[in-house]
Each structure stands twice: as structure tokens, then as C-alpha cells.
Amino acid sequence: MTPVTVGAHAQRAISMLDACDPDSFNAALGPGTCVRKGGVLFDDFIDLLRRHQSVGAWHFTPPQASLNVGDQLLAVNRGGETHTFTEVEEFGGGIVPMLNQLSGLTTVAPECTQLKPADFIPAGGSSSQTEGEQGVEKYQCCIHPWMRAEVRVGKH
Ligand SMILES: [Cu+2]
């Protein structure tokens, strides 16, 4: 992906995707949980998770990105459910015990226990940040903890 230049700095976007089916997800989890059209039935989602410890349609893309100090990282929720794009020291479980168990991620990432309301990015929402330090940063969804991205931040 070619970075978009914003002034002297570039911006890179990572999409947060899912494939929730609104009727079955909203029936299982409450109205408004899923606002996209069509997709994976809730029972099938649970079954896939049980068999594979992840559900591929729920993912961050690209899963790896490179940018430079001072560049902007934009996380855009293009799915139908709320996600978080949380920087963690080590990937781990999130805030939904059942999803942690089914994905085998029972060691909760401490960062996921300290979420603020603004960390929950609704469908169609986004969050951005300017990368301040060199290194490799790990981001995950604290709801669906197999949704992950690694961002390599280099120097100009
Ligand atoms: Cu998520």
C-alpha cells in the first residue's frame, strides 16, 4: 500500500473487518451489535471459533505495516461490529471471557483491562495516532483478540 502524504508525513490506514450477520448477532448479543448486511450467522461464528481458535473474516488488514516516526496510523472500522485497536506489549486475551476461551487466549492483555469509552470504535468509526517512537508495535482488538496487526516504525 502506498502511503498518502500529509504534509511532511505519511498516513497509513489499517482496516478492521468482520462479517457479522445482523439478525443472528443482534438476537444473540443485543440490538445494534451488528449493523452490516448479511454475513456469518452467530452460531456459525461460534462454531468456526471453536474449531479454528479464530474466525478469518474478523481481521485487521493489512496485518503488517511499516511507517516512520511522525507518520500517522489510522485504524478504520469497515465491519459491522464495534472493535478496538489497542496497542499491547504482548498479544493476549481481551474483555469477553467466552471469546478468550474459544480462541485459546486466556492470558488477558493488561491493556485490554484499562479501556476507555473512546477506545471502542463503532462500525464506520476510526481512530488515529501519530507514531512517536521507533520499534515494532502490536495492536489487537480487545473484543476479538485474534484480530492483530504489527506496525514497524522506522526513522526517516
Ligand atoms: Cu473486534
Side-chain angles (χ1 to χ4, degrees):
M1 196 166 47
T2 309
V4 177
T5 302
V6 181
H9 296 294
Q11 183 189 65
R12 232 171 238 282
I14 292 182
S15 294
M16 314 161 81
L17 296 176
D18 62 60
C20 60
D21 161 69
D23 290 348
S24 58
F25 271 72
N26 295 342
L29 303 172
T33 301
C34 174
V35 298
R36 66 186 295 284
K37 290 199 177 76
V40 179
L41 299 175
F42 182 74
D43 287 350
D44 293 339
F45 168 80
I46 294 297
D47 188 52
L48 285 166
L49 193 51
R50 186 168 279 132
R51 285 193 285 136
H52 303 294
Q53 289 74 57
S54 66
V55 184
W58 275 248
H59 66 284
F60 292 160
T61 186
Q64 277 162 349
S66 296
L67 35 68
N68 290 314
V69 169
D71 290 348
Q72 196 182 45
L73 181 63
L74 178 69
V76 184
N77 186 348
R78 299 189 191 282
E81 286 189 273
T82 295
H83 300 285
T84 81
F85 192 79
T86 305
E87 188 176 349
V88 295
E89 201 64 41
E90 297 296 338
F91 291 125
I95 59 172
V96 184
M98 182 179 75
L99 297 182
N100 292 348
Q101 264 173 20
L102 291 175
S103 60
L105 297 165
T106 48
T107 302
V108 173
E111 294 88 346
C112 288
T113 67
Q114 294 159 26
L115 298 175
K116 300 179 190 72
D119 294 326
F120 292 88
I121 305 169
S126 64
S127 78
S128 68
Q129 61 190 94
T130 301
E131 297 297 353
E133 280 178 31
Q134 266 184 275
V136 177
E137 297 184 341
K138 299 183 172 85
Y139 294 90
Q140 72 168 75
C141 177
C142 287
I143 299 168
H144 315 96
W146 62 92
M147 298 176 72
R148 296 172 171 180
E150 278 192 358
V151 177
R152 189 169 294 276
V153 183
K155 235 182 4 193
H156 277 287

